[in-house]
């Protein structure tokens, strides 16, 4: 059995610059990934079929049917590499001859659904990496990103799962290993309320507040913003409570909302400060979801 971690994604800053004709928004963002997340495992099957089972703390409320992004990613990869597949596609890359590539996938869902930390995108990206290995497709990251882009804006970044400056709708990626970032202790906190991405983007006030300076971690901390914080807080006011609490914990060097919310994160100057904050918040707010780790 092969496994891949679907690393949790955080937007250390997320500047929304423009609403586009196609309904998406042009962004400038610094994506970072936590060294923990969902876990996807797979066993091969030779009949070309695909299946998905889900367990874990956030398995409830997540459908494992054909609409699940993991299965959609698996099918897209199958079609790309295997034109003779029973699903039929003459425009694929035609790398593999066998029409019988299949997989039984199992997802252990540790991350809350609809929470601004990648979730389904990270799961889909993990499926692409995992099946690329299982089936011996040998597609490059660039090719996996191109498949992922057709399924969701954050999937290309999640394929890479290393710190990246991200632009466009999410497809323009530049690796960015900022000094002082990798290994930083990080705490994720979610108030336990799911929040869809589209309504938050719709609530953006269309004011361009300017570009994102990623010349240093200091610049991202000091001058970076999350332009989706205001529309997310309008929908889930509890985000304000989380941020207020996280900004008061000792040792936090940056506290901000991730993505379209409602998960917020804090970076810490020491692992001790991070675990002290985690224990204090867990005791105070038993309904909040917490996860600590390190930035990859
Ligand atoms: O691409 P994805 O399906 O993950 O996006 C979900 C929704 O988030 C889109 O339908 C769109 O409303 C919004 N979105 C956006 N601009 C982006 C990414 C997502 O408006 N760059």
């Amino acid at each position: 059995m092969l496994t891949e971690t679907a690393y949790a994604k955080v937007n250390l800053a997320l500047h929304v610059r423009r609403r586009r004709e196609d309904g998406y928004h042009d962004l400038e963002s610094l994506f970072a990934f936590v060294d923990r997340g969902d876990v996807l495992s797979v066993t091969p099957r030779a009949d070309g079929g695909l299946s998905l089972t889900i367990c874990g703390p956030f398995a409830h409320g997540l459908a494992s049917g054909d609409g699940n992004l993991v299965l959609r990613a698996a099918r897209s990869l199958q079609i790309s590499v295997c034109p003779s597949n029973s699903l039929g596609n003459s425009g694929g890359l035609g790398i593999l001859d066998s029409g019988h590539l299949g997989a039984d996938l199992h997802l252990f869902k540790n991350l809350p659904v609809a929470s601004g930390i990648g979730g389904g995108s990270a799961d889909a990206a993990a499926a692409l990496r995992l099946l690329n290995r299982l089936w011996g497709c040998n597609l490059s990251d660039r090719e996996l990103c191109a498949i992922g882009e057709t399924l969701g804006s954050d999937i290309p970044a999640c394929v890479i799962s290393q710190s990246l400056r991200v632009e466009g709708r999410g497809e323009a990626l530049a690796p960015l290993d900022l000094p002082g970032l990798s290994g930083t202790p990080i705490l994720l906190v979610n108030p336990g309320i799911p929040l869809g991405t589209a309504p938050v983007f719709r609530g953006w006030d269309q004011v361009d507040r300017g570009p994102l300076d990623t010349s240093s971690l200091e610049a991202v901390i000091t001058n970076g913003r999350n332009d989706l914080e205001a529309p997310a807080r309008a929908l889930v006011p509890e985000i304000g409570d989380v941020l207020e609490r996280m900004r008061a914990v000792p040792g936090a060097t940056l506290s901000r909302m991730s993505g379209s919310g409602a998960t917020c994160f804090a970076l810490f100057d020491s692992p001790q400060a991070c675990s002290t904050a985690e224990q204090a918040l867990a005791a105070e707010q038993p309904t909040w979801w917490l996860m600590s780790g390190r930035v990859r």
Side-chain angles (χ1 to χ4, degrees), residues 7-285:
Y7 299 103
K9 167 222 79 167
V10 289
N11 301 85
L12 296 187
L14 198 171
H15 293 199
V16 186
R17 303 300 309 277
R18 191 173 74 91
R19 180 171 289 167
R20 309 182 342 178
E21 299 278 297
D22 62 7
Y24 285 91
H25 293 77
D26 279 329
L27 313 172
E28 291 177 30
S29 183
L30 179 59
F31 279 49
F33 291 84
V34 185
D35 62 358
R36 297 177 61 193
D38 298 333
V39 179
L40 188 67
S41 54
V42 68
T43 48
R45 60 191 265 184
D47 65 355
L50 294 170
S51 77
L52 174 66
T53 51
I54 308 176
C55 73
F58 290 98
H60 56 87
L62 189 60
S64 60
D66 283 350
N68 189 291
L69 267 179
V70 168
L71 285 179
R72 292 177 55 206
R75 193 153 297 111
S76 294
L77 180 63
Q78 216 178 28
I79 290 170
S80 290
V81 298
C82 191
S84 62
N85 189 281
S86 55
L87 293 157
N89 180 340
S90 55
L93 296 173
I95 290 165
L96 299 172
D97 292 332
S98 168
H100 305 292
L101 297 175
D104 289 320
L105 292 149
H106 183 69
L107 179 64
F108 195 92
K109 192 73 197 159
N110 287 314
L111 304 175
V113 175
S115 71
I117 51 172
S121 303
D123 296 341
L128 293 173
R129 293 193 304 265
L130 188 63
L131 296 174
N132 190 39
R133 279 203 284 151
L134 179 77
W135 293 336
C137 307
N138 287 319
L139 296 194
S140 64
D141 282 351
R142 184 183 287 267
E143 288 168 316
L144 294 180
C145 287
I147 295 171
E149 188 187 329
T150 65
L151 300 167
S153 304
D154 284 351
I155 298 179
C158 290
V159 166
I160 307 299
S161 281
Q162 297 283 355
S163 299
L164 296 159
R165 182 182 168 99
V166 177
E167 296 189 9
R169 187 196 127 203
E171 77 291 350
L173 310 179
L176 190 60
D177 187 13
L178 285 181
L181 180 55
S182 178
T184 299
I186 183 167
L187 177 64
L188 305 182
V189 182
N190 183 286
I193 303 163
L195 182 56
T197 306
V200 176
F201 270 104
R202 267 201 302 277
W204 178 58
D205 63 5
Q206 300 201 49
V207 175
D208 176 9
R209 291 175 173 79
L212 172 61
D213 175 2
T214 49
S215 58
S216 69
L217 184 55
E218 237 350 275
V220 175
I221 290 173
T222 309
N223 305 320
R225 318 175 297 267
N226 184 336
D227 289 332
L228 296 179
E229 181 188 322
R233 285 175 69 158
L235 294 168
V236 178
E238 289 83 349
I239 292 167
D241 303 335
V242 174
L243 283 173
E244 191 186 339
R245 188 63 193 84
M246 290 178 87
R247 283 177 178 148
V249 296
T253 55
L254 168 66
S255 302
R256 197 167 274 160
M257 191 183 84
S258 177
S260 56
T263 306
C264 302
F265 67 89
L267 300 181
F268 288 88
D269 55 14
S270 76
Q272 291 75 21
C274 185
S275 71
T276 303
E278 183 175 20
Q279 284 162 28
L281 289 178
E284 275 171 41
Q285 300 284 353

